[in-house]
Amino acid sequence: MSAAEVLAGVDIVALRLSEEGVLQLLLIRRAQAPFAEQWALPGVLVNGRCVDASLDAAAERALHDKARIAPQHLEQVATVGNMARDPRGWSLSTFYLALLAPDTELQGDDLRFVALAEVLDGRLALPFDHAHLVVQAAERLASKAVYTSLPLYLLAPRFTVTEALAAFQASLGQAVQHTTLRGRLEKMKQHGWVLDTGAKNQPKMGRPQNLLEHRPQGAGGFIFDRSVLS
Amino acid sequence: MSAAEVLAGVDIVALRLSEEGVLQLLLIRRAQAPFAEQWALPGVLVNGRCVDASLDAAAERALHDKARIAPQHLEQVATVGNMARDPRGWSLSTFYLALLAPDTELQGDDLRFVALAEVLDGRLALPFDHAHLVVQAAERLASKAVYTSLPLYLLAPRFTVTEALAAFQASLGQAVQHTTLRGRLEKMKQHGWVLDTGAKNQPKMGRPQNLLEHRPQGAGGFIFDRSVLS
DNA sequence: ATAATAGTGTCTGTGAGACATTATGTA
DNA sequence: TACATAATGTCTCACAGACACTATTAT
């Protein structure tokens, strides 16, 4: 069996929720050709010499080595493979959705966050088919936000209902009734996924907010049995 | 950039609904090492010489070339990659879930159907990590059966409510109220996904059954806004 | 007091769950 | 007639949607 000449790698679509409630995408300035110096998704190649125990380990390595970041959630989205996506030839990319804590900071000027919306609507172009990967990852987040608690991984472990609302609305791209979200958080409390810290948070104005705590009891978010949409 | 030495391929978890309402898995007797002569998932390698336009095209090729079968539904499930799954070294497998028509017939004695349950509970072992792939594909089908109409792709284009019930129950691994399913089919009628052929089907005994027709209006099944479970 | 924000309560609609009832065929 | 199977109807419950109302802070 001859060694197959396929270029295989993992790419990461890492998202952070900004203080303004907007999703931001992590980009890295490529050091090597092709597309050297351009801003692109962080990623690594997987090959015979690679030390990764598994593909998921390679994804974690990509985030850790390239950006010194540990995500709060990491899941595989899909794998694309064709002749056109890389000028070097037929290539495979298994890409992951990573959700980062809102206080994630970047070190080094070869890393930056950009508004996810700018990539989704084409205002900001990315090399390879990275824009397409971003679209699919964003769709994954949106579709899971409909019936799971996945957007909570965009928040700090302690969060307020208002912050949770921002996370869901940014993930879904549309408004959500706060009463609906409160009902879901109540349901999660009953299953130990969320608990009421007695603590309060005082905004600049208005009534203090209850501080909740996210306690995942399994992978991938709590699953509700209804859609959050009409 | 040196050619990366990664063995990459696609494997297919193709399922058929038997007349007894049991899910069956398509296996092929391997012609080549490793694991020659053993029954395994159909699959093909993707490499630099390959003619496939894309990874999805390679999946279709695997089913067509190896089994002369065209599935009613084909979707990518995930990609696994590690050192242990193939004795030849670090390898990648992107695996797909394929749903076949119930009248799918096999030609050649290197193809057969086995009961999916036998693989899931370990009574029937498969080479590589194929049993693990089958588990994940079956989980994908089950989780989608909760809130989509995916199991209808296991039926002939014209089907009865009883057959649809069997498809859902086999996919989910648990009983479903027929009234619930009727409600969902009614909803699908309103959106053009199912229509009432005036025709009837006469079982050996009892009242004749209405014959419905499956008219997919998009990829991946109709999406409901509630879980079919409690 | 007023504004701003958080949290609760009420009413409606939808669709699943469970089960009873009716309909339509065969033996 | 008896039986088997399909199809429909009824009632309850959970929860999303919409919106009103109350609560608690700062200025």
Side-chain angles (χ1 to χ4, degrees), chain B residues 2 13 15 19 34 49 54 56 65 67 72 87 99-100 107 110 140 150-151 167 170 176 184 186 194 220 227 229:
Chain B
S2 64
V13 178
L15 302 179
E19 292 187 6
R49 306 177 310 278
S54 69
D56 290 356
D65 289 6
Q72 303 203 106
L99 303 182
L100 310 179
Q107 36 196 327
D110 58 340
R140 166 71 63 93
L150 199 63
V176 174
R184 296 199 155 195
E186 202 60 39
V194 164
S227 161
L229 307 174

Side-chain angles (χ1 to χ4, degrees), chain A residues 106-214:
Chain A
L106 302 179
Q107 37 197 323
D109 62 352
D110 58 342
L111 294 171
R112 69 190 265 227
F113 282 110
V114 300
L116 172 63
E118 288 192 13
V119 175
L120 293 183
D121 64 18
R123 266 176 299 163
L124 178 58
L126 295 181
F128 304 103
D129 57 353
H130 283 185
H132 189 227
L133 307 190
V134 171
V135 169
Q136 286 186 64
E139 286 174 353
R140 167 69 63 92
L141 175 59
S143 68
K144 282 210 168 185
V146 172
Y147 62 99
T148 78
S149 67
L150 199 62
L152 294 188
Y153 291 97
L154 287 165
L155 304 177
R158 287 191 160 200
F159 65 96
T160 67
V161 173
T162 304
E163 289 165 344
L165 201 57
F168 273 86
Q169 295 183 151
S171 300
L172 285 166
Q174 64 185 264
V176 174
Q177 292 269 339
H178 72 101
T179 46
T180 298
L181 181 59
R182 286 175 197 277
R184 296 201 153 192
L185 290 169
E186 202 60 38
K187 189 86 177 185
M188 292 178 74
K189 282 182 195 168
Q190 295 168 12
H191 290 79
W193 281 71
V194 164
L195 54 83
D196 246 317
T197 74
K200 304 270 184 182
N201 180 272
Q202 185 56 51
K204 289 189 278 287
M205 179 148 304
R207 177 171 170 173
Q209 313 164 301
N210 290 334
L211 270 175
L212 305 178
E213 192 165 332
H214 190 197

Side-chain angles (χ1 to χ4, degrees), chain B residues 159-178:
Chain B
F159 64 96
T160 66
V161 173
T162 305
E163 289 166 345
L165 200 58
F168 272 87
Q169 294 183 152
S171 300
L172 284 165
Q174 64 184 263
V176 174
Q177 293 267 339
H178 72 101

Side-chain angles (χ1 to χ4, degrees), chain B residues 10-224:
Chain B
V10 298
D11 291 302
I12 313 291
V13 178
L15 302 179
R16 182 182 73 167
L17 185 66
S18 77
E19 292 187 6
E20 302 81 40
V22 171
L23 286 178
Q24 300 177 312
L25 171 69
L26 174 67
L27 295 182
I28 184 169
R29 185 186 278 133
R30 287 179 60 82
Q32 295 158 351
F35 301 112
E37 304 301 318
Q38 291 197 34
W39 291 95
L41 297 182
V44 295
L45 291 177
V46 296
N47 57 42
R49 306 177 310 278
C50 84
V51 294
D52 303 301
S54 69
L55 203 55
D56 290 356
E60 286 184 42
R61 177 168 69 93
L63 264 180
H64 182 267
D65 289 6
K66 303 269 182 174
R68 298 280 160 193
I69 279 177
Q72 303 203 106
H73 173 79
L74 183 65
E75 75 175 58
Q76 190 186 107
V77 177
T79 300
V80 292
N82 59 55
M83 191 71 194
R85 58 180 304 278
D86 191 308
R88 290 167 287 184
W90 223 99
S91 71
L92 285 172
S93 169
T94 301
F95 59 104
Y96 285 74
L97 169 65
L99 303 182
L100 310 179
D103 59 358
T104 301
E105 295 296 340
L106 302 179
Q107 36 196 327
D109 63 351
D110 58 340
L111 295 170
R112 68 190 266 227
F113 282 109
V114 300
L116 172 63
E118 287 191 13
V119 175
L120 293 182
D121 64 16
R123 267 177 297 163
L124 178 58
L126 295 180
F128 304 103
D129 58 353
H130 283 185
H132 189 228
L133 308 190
V134 171
V135 169
Q136 287 186 65
E139 285 173 354
R140 166 71 63 93
L141 175 59
S143 68
K144 284 209 167 185
V146 172
Y147 63 98
T148 78
S149 65
L150 199 63
L152 294 188
Y153 291 96
L154 287 165
L155 304 177
R158 288 191 157 201
F159 64 96
T160 66
V161 173
T162 305
E163 289 166 345
L165 200 58
F168 272 87
Q169 294 183 152
S171 300
L172 284 165
Q174 64 184 263
V176 174
Q177 293 267 339
H178 72 101
T179 48
T180 298
L181 181 58
R182 286 176 199 276
R184 296 199 155 195
L185 290 170
E186 202 60 39
K187 189 87 178 183
M188 292 178 73
K189 282 182 198 170
Q190 296 168 11
H191 290 78
W193 280 71
V194 164
L195 54 84
D196 245 317
T197 74
K200 304 270 183 182
N201 180 272
Q202 185 58 52
K204 289 190 277 285
M205 178 148 303
R207 176 172 172 173
Q209 312 164 302
N210 291 335
L211 270 175
L212 305 178
E213 191 165 334
H214 190 198
R215 287 281 181 84
Q217 305 287 310
F222 186 84
I223 300 176
F224 305 101

